[in-house]
Amino acid sequence: MTTLTPYSNSHQAPQHLTGLAAWWATLSAMTKKELLIMLRYPVELVASFGQVFLIVIILTLAGLMFSRSGTQASAENSATAGLVVYGFILFIFVSDTMWTIGYNVRREQKQGTLEQLYLSPASKFNSLLSRVTVTLVWTGTLCIASALLMSAMIGKLPFANLPLGLYFLILSLFGTFGVGFAFAAITLRVREAGQTLANFFQFTFMVLCAPFFPFSALPGWMQNIARFIPLSYSVDAFRTTLMGTSPELAPLQVEFIIVTVFGLVMPFLGYWMYRREEDAARAKGSLSEY
C-alpha cells in the first residue's frame, strides 16, 4: 500500500493528500485496521460463528415442528427453511449494521479516537465506509455458511429467481447501511442510551418486519404498521422472489419501486443526518465524551 505523505523523499515533488488515489488509500488503510481489530479476538470470532448457526438451526427446527412432513427432508421443509434463512440474512445485516456502524461510533467517542480523527486530514466518510466493508465481509461469510448448513440439513433451498433476488438484496443492503449511518447520528446525540435503542430496534424489526415467519401470522393492525416500514418490503420482496411465491404486503412491482427508492435514498439521508450530528458534537465539544 502506498504511504501518502506530503513528501515521499526530499528529491521528489510533494504528493497531494486529495484525489482518487488518496481516497482509495485512506479507505484501504481504515478497512485493514477494522479487519485487524476483528481478527485480534479469535475466540470471539469462533463464538459468534457458533451462535449464528445455533440461531438458524433453532428457528428452522421450530418452524418445521408445525409442517406436515416434520423434520424429514421434503420440498415443503425446504420452503420453510428458505423462509427462515432468507429472513435471517436481512435480520443479521440490520443487526450488525446497527452495532458495527452505529454503536461503535459511540465506543470511539468514549475512547477519544473519534476526536483524534477530526484532528487529521483523513476522510470522515471513509471512516464510516470502512465499517460497511467489515460488515459485508464478516456478515456475508456468516450468511453463506448458514445457507450451506441448512441446505445440508433440510435440503436444497429454493432459488426461483436468483438475479432479481440479488437485486433486492443489494438494494436492501444499501438502505440498511443508510439506516446504520442514521443510527450512528442518533448515538452521537443520546450516547449510552444508544445501546438500549439498538436492542429496541432489533426486536422491533424482528416482530414487525417478520423475518422469521410470514406476514400473515401478524394481527391486522401490526400488518398495517409493517406497511409503513421500508425494511418490511425488503424482507417480503427478497424472500418471496427466491421462494417463487406471491408477495404479501403489495404487488411485486410496487415492492420493487419501494426497495429501489429505499436503497438509493437512505444512504444519503443517513449520512446527511450523521454529518449534522457530527457538526453539533464539534460545536459542543462532545466528540470525546463518556
Side-chain angles (χ1 to χ4, degrees), residues 64-217:
L64 292 180
M65 290 173 60
F66 300 97
S67 68
R68 283 173 295 184
S69 303
T71 57
Q72 302 299 317
S74 69
E76 181 186 357
N77 288 349
S78 294
T80 303
L83 187 146
V84 174
V85 171
Y86 297 145
F88 173 79
I89 288 174
L90 288 179
F91 170 76
I92 194 169
F93 268 111
V94 170
S95 179
D96 280 3
T97 297
M98 281 194 293
W99 288 104
T100 306
I101 299 177
Y103 192 70
N104 275 2
V105 170
R106 169 59 185 157
R107 186 190 64 183
E108 295 203 12
Q109 187 184 28
K110 287 195 293 186
Q111 293 174 341
T113 50
L114 188 63
E115 187 177 48
Q116 293 173 10
L117 177 66
Y118 282 85
L119 297 177
S120 73
S123 168
K124 314 309 177 288
F125 178 71
N126 280 349
S127 175
L128 286 179
L129 202 58
S130 64
R131 302 163 200 273
V132 170
T133 308
V134 172
T135 302
L136 281 174
V137 171
W138 179 240
T139 309
T141 302
L142 288 177
C143 291
I144 293 171
S146 301
L148 292 175
L149 174 68
M150 296 317 300
S151 295
M153 288 181 59
I154 304 298
K156 187 178 178 181
L157 295 175
F159 293 100
N161 191 340
L162 185 58
L164 186 58
L166 287 176
Y167 175 84
F168 282 130
L169 176 61
I170 292 171
L171 268 294
S172 298
L173 293 186
F174 284 171
T176 299
F177 295 145
V179 172
F181 296 160
F183 187 71
I186 295 172
T187 303
L188 281 179
R189 177 176 286 269
V190 302
R191 294 185 280 277
E192 282 303 285
Q195 186 172 1
T196 305
L197 277 179
N199 288 321
F200 173 76
F201 287 144
Q202 273 183 291
F203 283 105
T204 301
F205 175 79
M206 196 185 299
V207 174
L208 292 178
C209 297
F212 302 119
F213 49 85
F215 283 93
S216 57

Side-chain angles (χ1 to χ4, degrees), residues 1 11 30 41 107 120 125 132 165 188 193 196 222 236-237 243 254 277 280:
M1 182 183 68
H11 302 293
M30 289 181 168
Y41 307 100
R107 186 190 64 183
S120 73
F125 178 71
V132 170
L188 281 179
T196 305
M222 279 193 176
D236 196 31
M243 295 178 64
V254 175
E277 287 302 322

